[in-house]
Amino acid sequence: CRLPDEVLAEIFLECVKDCRAEYENAAWNDYGQQPYKWLPITHVCHKWREAALSHPRLWDWVVPLRPESTEAFIVRSGQRPLIVPQRRLPLYNHPVAGNRGPTVIRATSDMNTSLQLVFDQLYRVERIDLHSTCSTPEDPLPDAPLLRSLTIRDARAANAPALEYFKTLPLPSLTAFHCWCSPNVLTPFLRDNLTSLTLSCGLINKDGLLDILQNMQMLTRLRVDKVEGVLPHAIPALPQ
């Protein structure tokens, strides 16, 4: 292959984008999705592998499932901003083990260990998704000046301590907040500069919701489940 490494990397990146989109657009309970389907192209030949390893853009999308792959992607991404999508682990029927035994426990432990590696890099994370298997950070979280999007799924007592850490961070760049959890975690994340907001946290009173939205002049996308009462067709507080 006589193509320059830069051209090869651009070709690889198109493949990577397709694989990422397929993974993120899959149903939340589609446990068979593999995040790194594109990796076999790095084993075709030495030149292709060197081209891939020398381009951090191929490695800045990190799914914290296994510590080994998570660490490898973090190192290969250089200092690029990171995107950290997440998937829920099946609690009762692991697609590989076919049972609720040690494989599920091992998989959960691996994910939590991987997430600790991501937390150490929080200073360069642009988007992160958390869910009920999230563990408590071992150390205080570093600041997250680049974090633009935070998603919290199925929050329960298991990851409440981690949420407490995020509540204490300034998050100056946060513009998208998506929450599937109890309402008591909402307030610190409802910033005036949000442009995208998703709330799915049980029944929300209409008047309470309108109070929440009162100062969100920048909001362009809003999704709310289970609102008690009828919302007006137009909300003056939301000019966008």
Side-chain angles (χ1 to χ4, degrees):
C1 178
R2 297 182 179 180
L3 290 175
D5 286 357
E6 291 77 11
V7 176
L8 280 173
E10 290 297 326
I11 296 172
F12 296 163
L13 186 59
E14 292 304 310
C15 178
V16 169
K17 289 177 180 178
D18 288 342
C19 293
R20 292 176 180 177
E22 180 182 349
Y23 184 82
E24 296 214 45
N25 293 333
W28 179 240
N29 58 354
D30 185 356
Y31 305 122
Q33 284 292 323
Q34 300 298 317
Y36 303 131
K37 286 183 178 180
W38 64 274
L39 276 179
I41 66 177
T42 67
H43 299 285
V44 171
C45 65
H46 177 74
K47 180 176 177 58
W48 283 26
R49 182 165 182 80
E50 289 301 308
L53 291 177
S54 63
H55 283 75
R57 282 195 300 165
L58 299 174
W59 310 95
D60 59 9
W61 186 84
V62 183
V63 183
L65 293 177
R66 295 180 179 83
E68 297 81 7
S69 61
T70 300
E71 184 172 18
F73 271 68
I74 287 174
V75 170
R76 294 169 184 173
S77 67
Q79 286 300 310
R80 283 189 58 80
L82 298 177
I83 303 297
V84 186
Q86 188 59 279
R87 307 300 289 181
R88 187 209 313 252
L89 283 174
L91 297 180
Y92 300 112
N93 185 22
H94 194 279
V96 176
N99 57 52
R100 65 181 80 180
T103 302
V104 173
I105 298 173
R106 170 64 184 276
T108 303
S109 175
D110 282 352
M111 181 180 287
N112 287 336
T113 301
S114 300
L115 201 54
Q116 296 293 340
L117 297 172
V118 168
F119 283 153
D120 291 340
Q121 302 293 314
L122 196 60
Y123 66 91
R124 62 184 177 110
V125 172
E126 281 191 344
R127 173 166 71 87
I128 188 169
D129 295 358
L130 299 175
H131 58 69
S132 59
T133 60
C134 171
S135 62
T136 306
E138 295 176 354
D139 300 305
L141 291 178
D143 287 341
L146 303 184
L147 189 64
R148 295 184 292 105
S149 177
L150 173 62
T151 299
I152 304 171
R153 303 178 187 272
D154 299 334
R156 299 192 291 252
N159 68 341
L163 295 180
E164 290 298 325
Y165 278 111
F166 273 93
K167 287 181 184 180
T168 66
L169 299 181
L171 305 180
S173 301
L174 190 69
T175 58
F177 179 61
H178 309 290
C179 180
W180 284 258
C181 58
S182 60
N184 63 347
V185 306
L186 292 177
T187 305
F189 302 105
L190 301 178
R191 314 295 180 86
D192 295 350
N193 60 328
L194 288 184
T195 60
S196 179
L197 177 63
T198 301
L199 301 177
S200 181
C201 50
L203 196 62
I204 299 178
N205 179 270
K206 177 195 71 173
D207 294 331
L209 176 62
L210 292 176
D211 288 341
I212 288 174
L213 301 177
Q214 190 65 40
N215 296 317
M216 294 188 178
Q217 299 287 312
M218 304 299 293
L219 205 62
T220 60
R221 179 182 181 275
L222 172 66
R223 174 185 170 184
V224 183
D225 296 335
K226 300 180 181 178
V227 178
E228 182 181 23
V230 180
L231 288 173
H233 291 293
I235 302 176
L238 302 177
Q240 305 295 329

